Each structure stands twice: as structure tokens, then as C-alpha cells.
Amino acid sequence: VSMDGAAKVLVGNQHFVFYPMMALARFNLYVQSWIQLFSKERLHYRKVEICAMTVYCCWVVKLATSMPTWLEVLGWLLTSHAVAGILHVQIVIS
């Protein structure tokens, strides 16, 4: 299988890249959820899921903006998603 330069670097260093990538993978899950919800594909509970995602996003924004500094907001957001990334690692490995 031929690989480009980026693939060679990532595969060669995947033991270093995997955990940081899983720490940020939750952001990708949010994007994929919104893409799915706004696609033309038939979904059973589209309105309920859009409402749930909107409420969750509003809650996260409200919680984040209640912190005194943007550094704390960034720290909280990255830490909370990195901790959830541990579960993501378990799902990916199993």
C-alpha cells in the first residue's frame, strides 16, 4: 500500500499520536452528528436529536462562559473532552 508523507509520519508515530487524537476525537463526533442530522437521510427522531444537541451545546457554552478567564474555559473544555477520550479509547480498542 502506497502512503503519502503525512501517512508515513502518522503511522510511524502512531504510538505517540493515538492518545492525543482520541482526546480530541469527541469534537469530531459532534461534527459528524450535526452532519448526519442535517443530511437528507431519513432519521426517526431527527427533531428530538436536534433539540438534544442544541440543548447540550447551549449548556456547554453557558457553563464555559461562567468561568472567569478564557484560559480556564479552554482548560476545562480540553480536560473534560480528554477524560471522555479515555472511554473513546476503550471503544476503539475493543
Coordinates of all heavy atoms in Angstrom, one line a residue:
V1 N 0.9 -1.2 0.0 CA 0.0 0.0 0.0 C 0.9 1.2 0.0 O 1.8 1.4 0.9 CB -0.9 0.0 1.3 CG1 -1.7 1.3 1.3 CG2 -1.8 -1.2 1.3
S2 N 0.7 2.1 -1.0 CA 1.5 3.3 -1.0 C 0.9 4.4 -0.1 O -0.3 4.5 0.1 CB 1.5 3.9 -2.4 OG 0.3 4.2 -2.9
M3 N 1.8 5.1 0.6 CA 1.3 6.2 1.5 C 2.0 7.5 1.2 O 3.2 7.5 0.7 CB 1.7 5.8 3.0 CG 1.0 4.6 3.5 SD 1.2 4.3 5.3 CE 2.9 3.6 5.3
D4 N 1.3 8.6 1.4 CA 2.0 9.9 1.2 C 2.8 10.2 2.5 O 2.9 9.4 3.4 CB 1.0 11.0 1.0 CG 0.0 11.1 2.1 OD1 0.0 10.4 3.1 OD2 -0.9 12.1 2.0
G5 N 3.5 11.3 2.5 CA 4.4 11.7 3.5 C 3.7 11.8 4.9 O 4.2 11.4 5.9
A6 N 2.5 12.4 4.9 CA 1.8 12.6 6.2 C 1.4 11.2 6.8 O 1.5 11.0 8.0 CB 0.5 13.4 6.0
A7 N 0.9 10.3 5.9 CA 0.6 9.0 6.4 C 1.8 8.2 6.9 O 1.7 7.6 8.0 CB -0.1 8.2 5.2
K8 N 2.9 8.4 6.3 CA 4.1 7.7 6.8 C 4.5 8.2 8.2 O 4.9 7.5 9.1 CB 5.3 7.9 5.8 CG 5.2 7.1 4.6 CD 6.4 7.3 3.7 CE 6.2 6.5 2.4 NZ 7.3 6.7 1.5
V9 N 4.4 9.5 8.4 CA 4.8 10.1 9.7 C 3.8 9.7 10.7 O 4.1 9.3 11.8 CB 4.8 11.7 9.6 CG1 4.9 12.3 10.9 CG2 6.0 12.1 8.7
L10 N 2.5 9.7 10.4 CA 1.4 9.3 11.4 C 1.5 7.9 11.7 O 1.4 7.5 12.9 CB 0.0 9.7 10.9 CG -0.3 11.2 10.8 CD1 -1.6 11.4 10.2 CD2 -0.3 11.8 12.2
V11 N 1.7 7.0 10.8 CA 1.8 5.6 11.0 C 3.0 5.2 11.8 O 3.0 4.4 12.7 CB 1.7 4.7 9.7 CG1 2.0 3.3 10.0 CG2 0.3 4.9 9.1
G12 N 4.1 5.9 11.4 CA 5.4 5.6 12.1 C 5.4 6.1 13.6 O 6.2 5.6 14.4
N13 N 4.5 7.1 13.9 CA 4.5 7.6 15.2 C 3.1 7.4 15.9 O 2.8 8.2 16.8 CB 4.8 9.1 15.2 CG 6.2 9.4 14.8 OD1 7.2 8.8 15.4 ND2 6.4 10.2 13.7
Q14 N 2.4 6.4 15.4 CA 1.0 6.2 15.9 C 1.0 5.9 17.4 O 0.0 6.3 18.1 CB 0.3 5.2 15.2 CG 0.8 3.8 15.3 CD 0.1 2.8 14.4 OE1 -1.0 3.1 13.9 NE2 0.7 1.6 14.2
H15 N 2.0 5.4 18.0 CA 2.0 5.1 19.4 C 2.1 6.4 20.2 O 1.8 6.4 21.4 CB 3.2 4.2 19.8 CG 4.5 4.6 19.3 ND1 4.8 4.6 17.9 CD2 5.6 5.1 19.9 CE1 6.1 5.0 17.8 NE2 6.6 5.3 19.0
F16 N 2.5 7.5 19.6 CA 2.5 8.8 20.3 C 1.3 9.6 19.9 O 0.9 10.5 20.7 CB 3.8 9.7 19.8 CG 5.1 9.1 20.3 CD1 6.0 8.7 19.3 CD2 5.4 8.9 21.6 CE1 7.2 8.1 19.7 CE2 6.6 8.3 22.0 CZ 7.5 7.9 21.1
V17 N 0.8 9.4 18.7 CA -0.3 10.2 18.2 C -1.7 9.7 18.6 O -2.6 10.5 18.8 CB -0.3 10.2 16.6 CG1 -1.4 11.0 16.0 CG2 1.1 10.8 16.2
F18 N -1.8 8.5 18.9 CA -3.1 7.9 19.2 C -3.9 8.5 20.4 O -5.0 8.9 20.2 CB -3.0 6.3 19.4 CG -4.3 5.6 19.6 CD1 -5.2 5.5 18.6 CD2 -4.7 5.2 20.9 CE1 -6.4 4.9 18.8 CE2 -5.9 4.5 21.1 CZ -6.7 4.4 20.0
Y19 N -3.3 8.6 21.5 CA -4.0 9.1 22.7 C -4.3 10.6 22.6 O -5.5 11.0 22.9 CB -3.2 8.8 24.0 CG -3.3 7.4 24.3 CD1 -2.2 6.5 24.1 CD2 -4.4 6.8 24.9 CE1 -2.3 5.2 24.4 CE2 -4.5 5.5 25.2 CZ -3.4 4.7 24.9 OH -3.5 3.3 25.2
P20 N -3.4 11.5 22.1 CA -3.9 12.9 21.9 C -5.0 13.0 20.9 O -5.9 13.8 21.0 CB -2.6 13.6 21.4 CG -1.5 12.8 21.9 CD -2.0 11.3 21.9
M21 N -5.0 12.1 19.8 CA -6.0 12.1 18.9 C -7.3 11.7 19.5 O -8.4 12.3 19.2 CB -5.7 11.2 17.7 CG -6.6 11.3 16.5 SD -6.2 10.2 15.1 CE -4.5 10.8 14.7
M22 N -7.3 10.7 20.3 CA -8.5 10.3 21.0 C -9.0 11.3 22.0 O -10.2 11.4 22.2 CB -8.3 8.9 21.7 CG -8.1 7.8 20.8 SD -9.6 7.4 19.8 CE -9.0 8.0 18.2
A23 N -8.1 12.1 22.5 CA -8.5 13.2 23.5 C -9.3 14.2 22.7 O -10.2 14.9 23.3 CB -7.3 13.8 24.1
L24 N -9.1 14.4 21.4 CA -9.8 15.4 20.7 C -10.9 14.8 19.8 O -11.6 15.6 19.1 CB -8.8 16.2 19.8 CG -7.7 16.9 20.6 CD1 -6.7 17.5 19.6 CD2 -8.3 18.0 21.4
A25 N -11.0 13.5 19.8 CA -11.9 12.8 18.9 C -13.4 13.2 19.1 O -14.2 13.1 18.2 CB -11.8 11.3 18.9
R26 N -13.7 13.6 20.3 CA -15.1 14.0 20.7 C -15.6 15.2 19.8 O -16.8 15.2 19.5 CB -15.2 14.3 22.2 CG -16.6 14.3 22.6 CD -16.6 14.3 24.2 NE -17.9 14.4 24.6 CZ -18.5 13.4 25.3 NH1 -17.8 12.3 25.6 NH2 -19.7 13.5 25.7
F27 N -14.7 16.1 19.5 CA -15.1 17.2 18.7 C -15.5 16.7 17.3 O -16.4 17.2 16.7 CB -13.9 18.2 18.6 CG -13.6 18.9 19.9 CD1 -12.5 18.6 20.5 CD2 -14.5 19.8 20.4 CE1 -12.2 19.2 21.7 CE2 -14.2 20.5 21.6 CZ -13.0 20.1 22.3
N28 N -14.8 15.7 16.8 CA -15.2 15.1 15.5 C -16.5 14.4 15.6 O -17.3 14.5 14.7 CB -14.1 14.1 15.1 CG -14.5 13.4 13.7 OD1 -14.8 14.1 12.8 ND2 -14.4 12.1 13.7
L29 N -16.8 13.8 16.7 CA -18.2 13.2 16.9 C -19.3 14.2 16.9 O -20.4 14.0 16.4 CB -18.2 12.4 18.2 CG -17.3 11.1 18.3 CD1 -17.4 10.5 19.6 CD2 -17.8 10.1 17.2
Y30 N -19.0 15.4 17.4 CA -20.0 16.5 17.4 C -20.3 16.9 15.9 O -21.4 17.0 15.5 CB -19.6 17.7 18.1 CG -19.4 17.5 19.6 CD1 -18.4 18.2 20.3 CD2 -20.2 16.7 20.3 CE1 -18.2 18.1 21.7 CE2 -20.0 16.5 21.7 CZ -19.0 17.2 22.4 OH -18.8 17.0 23.7
V31 N -19.2 17.1 15.2 CA -19.3 17.5 13.8 C -20.1 16.4 13.0 O -21.0 16.7 12.2 CB -17.9 17.8 13.2 CG1 -18.1 18.0 11.7 CG2 -17.3 19.0 13.8
Q32 N -19.7 15.2 13.2 CA -20.4 14.1 12.4 C -21.9 14.0 12.8 O -22.7 13.7 12.0 CB -19.7 12.7 12.7 CG -18.3 12.7 12.2 CD -18.2 12.9 10.7 OE1 -19.0 12.4 9.9 NE2 -17.2 13.7 10.2
S33 N -22.2 14.2 14.1 CA -23.6 14.2 14.5 C -24.4 15.3 13.8 O -25.5 15.0 13.3 CB -23.7 14.4 16.0 OG -23.1 13.4 16.7
W34 N -23.8 16.5 13.7 CA -24.6 17.6 13.1 C -24.7 17.3 11.6 O -25.7 17.6 11.0 CB -23.9 18.9 13.3 CG -24.1 19.5 14.7 CD1 -23.2 19.6 15.7 CD2 -25.4 19.9 15.2 NE1 -23.8 20.1 16.8 CE2 -25.2 20.3 16.5 CE3 -26.7 20.1 14.7 CZ2 -26.2 20.8 17.4 CZ3 -27.7 20.5 15.5 CH2 -27.4 20.9 16.8
I35 N -23.6 16.8 10.9 CA -23.7 16.5 9.5 C -24.8 15.4 9.3 O -25.6 15.6 8.3 CB -22.3 15.9 9.0 CG1 -21.3 17.1 9.0 CG2 -22.5 15.3 7.6 CD1 -19.9 16.6 8.7
Q36 N -24.9 14.4 10.1 CA -25.9 13.4 10.0 C -27.3 14.0 10.2 O -28.2 13.7 9.4 CB -25.7 12.3 11.0 CG -26.8 11.2 11.1 CD -26.7 10.3 9.9 OE1 -25.7 10.2 9.2 NE2 -27.9 9.7 9.6
L37 N -27.5 14.9 11.2 CA -28.8 15.4 11.4 C -29.3 16.4 10.3 O -30.5 16.5 10.1 CB -28.8 16.2 12.8 CG -28.7 15.3 14.0 CD1 -28.5 16.1 15.3 CD2 -29.9 14.4 14.1
F38 N -28.4 17.0 9.6 CA -28.8 17.9 8.6 C -28.7 17.3 7.2 O -28.9 18.0 6.2 CB -28.0 19.2 8.6 CG -28.3 20.1 9.8 CD1 -27.4 20.4 10.8 CD2 -29.6 20.5 9.9 CE1 -27.8 21.1 11.9 CE2 -30.0 21.3 11.0 CZ -29.1 21.6 12.0
S39 N -28.4 16.0 7.1 CA -28.4 15.3 5.8 C -29.8 15.0 5.4 O -30.8 15.2 6.2 CB -27.6 14.0 6.0 OG -28.4 13.0 6.7
K40 N -30.0 14.6 4.2 CA -31.3 14.3 3.7 C -31.8 12.8 4.0 O -32.9 12.4 3.7 CB -31.4 14.5 2.2 CG -31.2 16.0 1.8 CD -31.3 16.2 0.3 CE -31.0 17.6 0.0 NZ -32.0 18.5 0.1
E41 N -30.9 12.1 4.6 CA -31.2 10.7 5.0 C -32.4 10.7 6.0 O -32.5 11.6 6.9 CB -30.0 10.1 5.7 CG -30.1 8.6 6.0 CD -28.9 8.1 6.7 OE1 -27.8 8.6 6.5 OE2 -29.0 7.0 7.3
R42 N -33.2 9.7 5.9 CA -34.4 9.6 6.8 C -33.9 9.1 8.2 O -33.3 8.1 8.3 CB -35.4 8.6 6.2 CG -36.6 8.5 7.0 CD -37.7 7.8 6.3 NE -38.9 7.9 7.1 CZ -39.5 6.8 7.7 NH1 -39.0 5.6 7.5 NH2 -40.6 7.0 8.4
L43 N -34.3 9.9 9.2 CA -34.0 9.6 10.6 C -35.3 9.6 11.3 O -36.1 10.4 11.2 CB -33.0 10.6 11.2 CG -31.6 10.7 10.5 CD1 -30.9 11.9 11.1 CD2 -30.9 9.4 10.6
H44 N -35.4 8.6 12.3 CA -36.6 8.5 13.0 C -36.9 9.7 14.0 O -38.0 10.1 14.1 CB -36.7 7.2 13.8 CG -36.7 6.0 12.9 ND1 -37.8 5.6 12.1 CD2 -35.7 5.1 12.6 CE1 -37.5 4.6 11.4 NE2 -36.2 4.2 11.7
Y45 N -35.9 10.1 14.7 CA -36.0 11.1 15.8 C -35.2 12.3 15.5 O -34.6 12.9 16.4 CB -35.7 10.5 17.1 CG -36.5 9.3 17.5 CD1 -36.0 8.0 17.4 CD2 -37.8 9.5 17.9 CE1 -36.8 6.9 17.7 CE2 -38.6 8.4 18.2 CZ -38.1 7.1 18.1 OH -38.9 6.1 18.4
R46 N -35.2 12.8 14.2 CA -34.3 13.9 13.9 C -34.6 15.1 14.7 O -33.7 15.8 15.2 CB -34.6 14.2 12.4 CG -33.7 15.4 11.9 CD -34.0 15.8 10.5 NE -34.1 14.7 9.6 CZ -33.0 14.2 8.9 NH1 -31.9 14.8 9.0 NH2 -33.2 13.2 8.0
K47 N -35.9 15.5 14.9 CA -36.2 16.7 15.7 C -35.8 16.6 17.1 O -35.3 17.5 17.7 CB -37.7 17.0 15.6 CG -38.1 17.5 14.2 CD -39.6 17.7 14.1 CE -40.0 18.1 12.7 NZ -41.5 18.3 12.6
V48 N -36.0 15.4 17.7 CA -35.6 15.2 19.1 C -34.1 15.3 19.2 O -33.6 15.9 20.2 CB -36.1 13.8 19.6 CG1 -35.6 13.5 21.0 CG2 -37.6 13.8 19.6
E49 N -33.3 14.7 18.3 CA -31.9 14.7 18.4 C -31.3 16.1 18.1 O -30.4 16.5 18.8 CB -31.3 13.8 17.3 CG -31.6 12.3 17.7 CD -30.9 11.3 16.8 OE1 -29.9 11.7 16.2 OE2 -31.4 10.2 16.7
I50 N -31.9 16.9 17.2 CA -31.5 18.3 17.0 C -31.8 19.1 18.3 O -30.9 19.9 18.7 CB -32.2 18.9 15.8 CG1 -31.7 18.3 14.5 CG2 -32.1 20.4 15.8 CD1 -32.4 18.7 13.2
C51 N -32.9 18.9 18.9 CA -33.2 19.6 20.2 C -32.2 19.2 21.3 O -31.7 20.1 22.0 CB -34.6 19.3 20.6 SG -35.9 20.1 19.6
A52 N -31.9 17.9 21.4 CA -31.0 17.5 22.4 C -29.6 18.0 22.1 O -28.9 18.5 23.1 CB -30.9 15.9 22.4
M53 N -29.1 18.0 20.9 CA -27.8 18.5 20.6 C -27.7 20.0 20.9 O -26.7 20.5 21.4 CB -27.4 18.2 19.1 CG -27.1 16.8 18.9 SD -25.5 16.3 19.5 CE -24.4 17.2 18.5
T54 N -28.8 20.7 20.5 CA -28.9 22.2 20.8 C -28.8 22.5 22.2 O -28.1 23.4 22.7 CB -30.1 22.8 20.1 OG1 -30.1 22.5 18.7 CG2 -30.2 24.3 20.3
V55 N -29.6 21.8 23.0 CA -29.6 22.0 24.5 C -28.2 21.7 25.1 O -27.7 22.4 25.9 CB -30.7 21.1 25.2 CG1 -30.5 21.0 26.7 CG2 -32.1 21.6 24.8
Y56 N -27.6 20.6 24.6 CA -26.3 20.3 25.1 C -25.3 21.4 24.7 O -24.5 21.8 25.6 CB -25.8 18.9 24.5 CG -24.4 18.6 24.9 CD1 -24.1 18.1 26.2 CD2 -23.3 18.7 24.0 CE1 -22.8 17.9 26.5 CE2 -22.0 18.5 24.3 CZ -21.7 18.0 25.6 OH -20.4 17.8 25.9
C57 N -25.3 21.8 23.5 CA -24.4 22.9 23.1 C -24.6 24.2 23.9 O -23.6 24.8 24.3 CB -24.5 23.2 21.6 SG -23.8 21.8 20.6
C58 N -25.9 24.5 24.1 CA -26.2 25.7 24.9 C -25.7 25.5 26.4 O -25.1 26.5 27.0 CB -27.7 26.0 24.9 SG -28.3 26.6 23.3
W59 N -25.8 24.3 26.9 CA -25.4 24.1 28.3 C -23.9 24.2 28.4 O -23.3 24.8 29.3 CB -25.8 22.7 28.7 CG -25.3 22.3 30.0 CD1 -25.7 22.7 31.3 CD2 -24.3 21.3 30.3 NE1 -25.0 22.1 32.2 CE2 -24.1 21.2 31.7 CE3 -23.5 20.5 29.4 CZ2 -23.1 20.4 32.2 CZ3 -22.5 19.7 30.0 CH2 -22.4 19.6 31.4
V60 N -23.1 23.6 27.4 CA -21.7 23.7 27.4 C -21.2 25.2 27.3 O -20.3 25.6 28.0 CB -21.1 22.8 26.3 CG1 -19.6 23.1 26.1 CG2 -21.3 21.4 26.6
V61 N -21.8 25.9 26.4 CA -21.5 27.3 26.2 C -21.8 28.1 27.5 O -21.0 28.9 27.9 CB -22.2 27.9 25.0 CG1 -22.1 29.4 25.0 CG2 -21.7 27.3 23.7
K62 N -22.9 27.9 28.1 CA -23.3 28.6 29.3 C -22.3 28.3 30.4 O -21.9 29.2 31.2 CB -24.7 28.2 29.7 CG -25.2 28.8 31.0 CD -25.3 30.3 30.9 CE -25.9 30.9 32.2 NZ -25.8 32.3 32.3
L63 N -22.0 27.0 30.6 CA -21.0 26.6 31.6 C -19.7 27.2 31.4 O -19.0 27.7 32.3 CB -21.0 25.1 31.7 CG -20.2 24.4 32.8 CD1 -20.8 24.8 34.1 CD2 -20.1 22.9 32.6
A64 N -19.2 27.2 30.1 CA -17.9 27.7 29.8 C -17.8 29.2 30.0 O -16.8 29.7 30.5 CB -17.6 27.3 28.3
T65 N -18.9 29.9 29.6 CA -18.8 31.4 29.8 C -19.0 31.8 31.2 O -18.8 33.0 31.5 CB -19.9 32.1 28.9 OG1 -21.2 31.5 29.2 CG2 -19.6 31.8 27.4
S66 N -19.4 30.9 32.1 CA -19.5 31.3 33.5 C -18.1 31.3 34.2 O -18.0 31.8 35.3 CB -20.4 30.3 34.3 OG -19.8 29.0 34.4
M67 N -17.1 30.8 33.5 CA -15.7 30.8 34.1 C -15.1 32.2 33.9 O -15.3 32.8 32.9 CB -14.9 29.7 33.4 CG -15.4 28.3 33.7 SD -14.5 27.0 32.9 CE -15.6 25.7 33.1
P68 N -14.2 32.5 34.8 CA -13.7 33.9 34.8 C -12.7 34.2 33.7 O -12.7 35.4 33.2 CB -13.0 34.1 36.1 CG -12.9 32.7 36.7 CD -13.8 31.8 36.0
T69 N -11.9 33.3 33.2 CA -11.0 33.6 32.1 C -11.1 32.6 31.0 O -11.6 31.5 31.2 CB -9.5 33.5 32.7 OG1 -9.2 32.2 33.0 CG2 -9.3 34.4 33.9
W70 N -10.7 33.0 29.8 CA -10.7 32.2 28.7 C -9.7 31.0 28.8 O -9.9 29.9 28.2 CB -10.4 33.0 27.4 CG -11.6 33.7 26.9 CD1 -11.8 35.1 27.1 CD2 -12.8 33.2 26.4 NE1 -13.1 35.4 26.6 CE2 -13.7 34.3 26.2 CE3 -13.2 31.9 26.0 CZ2 -15.0 34.1 25.6 CZ3 -14.5 31.7 25.5 CH2 -15.3 32.8 25.3
L71 N -8.7 31.2 29.6 CA -7.7 30.1 29.8 C -8.4 29.0 30.6 O -8.2 27.8 30.3 CB -6.5 30.7 30.5 CG -5.3 29.7 30.7 CD1 -4.8 29.3 29.3 CD2 -4.2 30.4 31.5
E72 N -9.2 29.4 31.6 CA -9.9 28.3 32.3 C -10.9 27.6 31.4 O -11.2 26.4 31.6 CB -10.6 29.0 33.5 CG -9.7 29.3 34.6 CD -10.4 29.9 35.8 OE1 -11.6 29.7 36.0 OE2 -9.7 30.5 36.7
V73 N -11.6 28.4 30.6 CA -12.6 27.8 29.6 C -11.9 26.8 28.8 O -12.3 25.6 28.6 CB -13.2 28.9 28.8 CG1 -14.0 28.3 27.6 CG2 -14.1 29.8 29.6
L74 N -10.7 27.1 28.2 CA -10.0 26.2 27.3 C -9.5 25.0 28.1 O -9.6 23.9 27.6 CB -8.8 27.0 26.7 CG -8.0 26.2 25.7 CD1 -8.9 25.8 24.5 CD2 -6.8 27.0 25.2
G75 N -9.0 25.3 29.3 CA -8.5 24.1 30.1 C -9.6 23.2 30.5 O -9.5 22.0 30.4
W76 N -10.8 23.7 30.9 CA -12.0 22.9 31.2 C -12.4 22.1 30.0 O -12.7 20.9 30.1 CB -13.1 23.7 31.8 CG -14.4 22.9 31.9 CD1 -14.6 22.0 32.9 CD2 -15.5 23.0 31.0 NE1 -15.9 21.5 32.6 CE2 -16.4 22.0 31.5 CE3 -15.8 23.7 29.9 CZ2 -17.6 21.8 30.9 CZ3 -17.0 23.4 29.2 CH2 -17.9 22.5 29.7
L77 N -12.6 22.8 28.9 CA -13.1 22.1 27.7 C -12.1 21.0 27.2 O -12.6 19.9 27.0 CB -13.2 23.1 26.6 CG -14.0 22.7 25.3 CD1 -15.4 22.4 25.7 CD2 -14.0 23.8 24.3
L78 N -10.8 21.2 27.2 CA -9.9 20.2 26.8 C -9.8 19.1 27.8 O -9.7 17.9 27.4 CB -8.5 20.8 26.5 CG -8.4 21.8 25.3 CD1 -7.1 22.4 25.2 CD2 -8.8 21.0 24.0
T79 N -9.8 19.4 29.1 CA -9.7 18.4 30.1 C -11.0 17.5 30.1 O -10.9 16.3 30.2 CB -9.5 19.0 31.5 OG1 -8.4 19.8 31.5 CG2 -9.5 17.9 32.6
S80 N -12.1 18.1 30.0 CA -13.4 17.3 30.0 C -13.4 16.4 28.8 O -13.9 15.2 28.9 CB -14.6 18.2 30.1 OG -14.7 19.0 28.9
H81 N -13.0 16.9 27.7 CA -13.0 16.0 26.5 C -11.9 15.0 26.5 O -12.1 13.9 26.0 CB -12.9 16.9 25.2 CG -14.2 17.6 24.9 ND1 -14.7 18.6 25.7 CD2 -15.1 17.4 23.9 CE1 -15.9 19.0 25.2 NE2 -16.2 18.2 24.1
A82 N -10.8 15.3 27.1 CA -9.7 14.3 27.2 C -10.1 13.2 28.1 O -9.8 12.0 27.9 CB -8.4 15.0 27.7
V83 N -10.8 13.5 29.2 CA -11.3 12.4 30.1 C -12.3 11.5 29.4 O -12.3 10.3 29.5 CB -11.9 13.1 31.4 CG1 -12.6 12.0 32.2 CG2 -10.8 13.7 32.2
A84 N -13.2 12.2 28.6 CA -14.1 11.4 27.9 C -13.4 10.6 26.8 O -13.9 9.5 26.3 CB -15.2 12.2 27.2
G85 N -12.2 11.0 26.4 CA -11.4 10.3 25.4 C -10.9 9.0 25.9 O -10.7 8.1 25.1
I86 N -10.8 8.8 27.2 CA -10.4 7.5 27.8 C -11.5 6.5 27.4 O -11.2 5.4 27.0 CB -10.2 7.6 29.3 CG1 -9.1 8.5 29.6 CG2 -10.0 6.2 29.9 CD1 -9.0 8.9 31.1
L87 N -12.8 6.8 27.5 CA -13.8 5.9 27.1 C -13.8 5.7 25.6 O -14.0 4.6 25.2 CB -15.2 6.5 27.5 CG -16.4 5.7 27.0 CD1 -16.4 4.4 27.7 CD2 -17.7 6.5 27.4
H88 N -13.4 6.7 24.9 CA -13.3 6.6 23.4 C -12.2 5.6 23.1 O -12.4 4.8 22.1 CB -13.0 7.9 22.8 CG -13.3 8.0 21.3 ND1 -14.6 8.2 20.9 CD2 -12.6 7.9 20.3 CE1 -14.6 8.2 19.6 NE2 -13.3 8.0 19.2
V89 N -11.1 5.6 23.8 CA -10.0 4.6 23.6 C -10.5 3.2 23.8 O -10.3 2.3 23.0 CB -8.8 5.0 24.5 CG1 -7.8 3.8 24.5 CG2 -8.2 6.3 24.0
Q90 N -11.3 3.0 24.9 CA -11.8 1.7 25.2 C -12.7 1.2 24.1 O -12.7 0.0 23.7 CB -12.6 1.7 26.5 CG -11.7 1.9 27.7 CD -12.4 1.9 29.0 OE1 -13.6 2.4 29.1 NE2 -11.8 1.5 30.1
I91 N -13.5 2.1 23.6 CA -14.4 1.7 22.5 C -13.6 1.3 21.2 O -13.9 0.3 20.6 CB -15.5 2.8 22.2 CG1 -16.4 3.0 23.4 CG2 -16.2 2.6 20.9 CD1 -17.3 4.2 23.4
V92 N -12.7 2.1 20.9 CA -11.9 1.9 19.7 C -11.1 0.6 19.8 O -11.0 -0.2 18.8 CB -10.9 3.1 19.4 CG1 -9.9 2.8 18.3 CG2 -11.8 4.3 19.0
I93 N -10.5 0.4 20.9 CA -9.7 -0.8 21.1 C -10.5 -2.1 21.1 O -10.0 -3.1 20.6 CB -8.8 -0.7 22.4 CG1 -7.7 0.4 22.1 CG2 -8.1 -2.0 22.7 CD1 -6.9 0.7 23.4
S94 N -11.7 -2.1 21.7 CA -12.5 -3.3 21.8 C -13.2 -3.7 20.5 O -13.1 -3.6 19.5 CB -13.5 -3.2 22.9 OG -14.5 -2.2 22.5

